[in-house]
Amino acid sequence: WITKNSSAPIADKREEPYLSQETKDHFEREIIPRYPTRQAATIPLLHAIQHDHNWLPVQAMEEAAVFLGIPASAVMDTATFYEEFFLEPRGKYTVWVCQSISCEIMGNIQLVDKLSEFLGISPGETTDDGKFTLMNVECIGACGGAPCALVNEKLHENLTADNVEQILSGLE
């Protein structure tokens, strides 16, 4: 019988921590006191780490667990439950295309098709050069400007196959 050890994933480690002292100090001072337990600050801490590094490496989640005083499995459970957390490196720019009913009626499918063609990737993938990650998202909350998308955190409304290509071409 040949077996593999699947209970202990091997993750690349680096000497420099992902969770900076500055972030820890900020959380101790400003964030954790707002919650009834340290564990309740898991999501804001994961957001902070991802904002700093553009994804959540296993080492970063382990560091977050130690900092919060909770099991690493609890941090991993949280990170894998929510769609907005990335457990693999993503592109410099994440393009979130809204797929709500308003955007669907206004042509989001054609928009995703154009983006896939222009970038050479499908939703959920990252370009080989690491510049773009294309994602679908349930609702951005900008139905009046459908179809719409977020490029990182910037909202773009009334998108067409033509203007979305211009927007992405203008990014460094």
Side-chain angles (χ1 to χ4, degrees), residues 96 98 103 139-159 167:
W96 298 88
C98 182
C103 287
C139 184
I140 293 176
C143 298
C148 60
L150 291 171
V151 178
N152 288 354
E153 297 174 8
K154 184 176 181 186
L155 176 65
H156 296 275
E157 298 177 288
N158 304 306
L159 294 172
I167 290 166

Side-chain angles (χ1 to χ4, degrees), residues 84-97:
E84 74 264 19
F85 293 122
F86 287 81
L87 304 181
E88 294 183 14
R90 63 180 167 157
K92 178 178 179 181
Y93 299 102
T94 302
V95 181
W96 298 88
V97 180

Side-chain angles (χ1 to χ4, degrees), residues 126-137:
T126 299
T127 56
D128 289 339
D129 64 1
K131 189 170 183 181
F132 293 101
T133 298
L134 179 60
M135 298 295 293
N136 285 324
V137 65

Side-chain angles (χ1 to χ4, degrees), residues 72-83:
S73 60
V75 175
M76 180 64 86
D77 284 348
T78 302
T80 57
F81 180 81
Y82 293 100
E83 197 173 73

Side-chain angles (χ1 to χ4, degrees), residues 38-107:
R38 291 179 73 83
Q39 182 171 358
T42 302
I43 291 175
L45 185 57
L46 291 176
H47 277 293
I49 294 168
Q50 184 166 278
H51 182 78
D52 289 345
H53 302 283
N54 211 26
W55 70 296
L56 294 174
V58 171
Q59 179 181 339
M61 291 185 278
E62 290 171 347
E63 292 171 16
V66 169
F67 174 70
L68 294 172
I70 61 175
S73 60
V75 175
M76 180 64 86
D77 284 348
T78 302
T80 57
F81 180 81
Y82 293 100
E83 197 173 73
E84 74 264 19
F85 293 122
F86 287 81
L87 304 181
E88 294 183 14
R90 63 180 167 157
K92 178 178 179 181
Y93 299 102
T94 302
V95 181
W96 298 88
V97 180
C98 182
Q99 59 183 13
S100 71
I101 189 70
S102 297
C103 287
E104 185 177 337
I105 290 169
M106 297 304 291

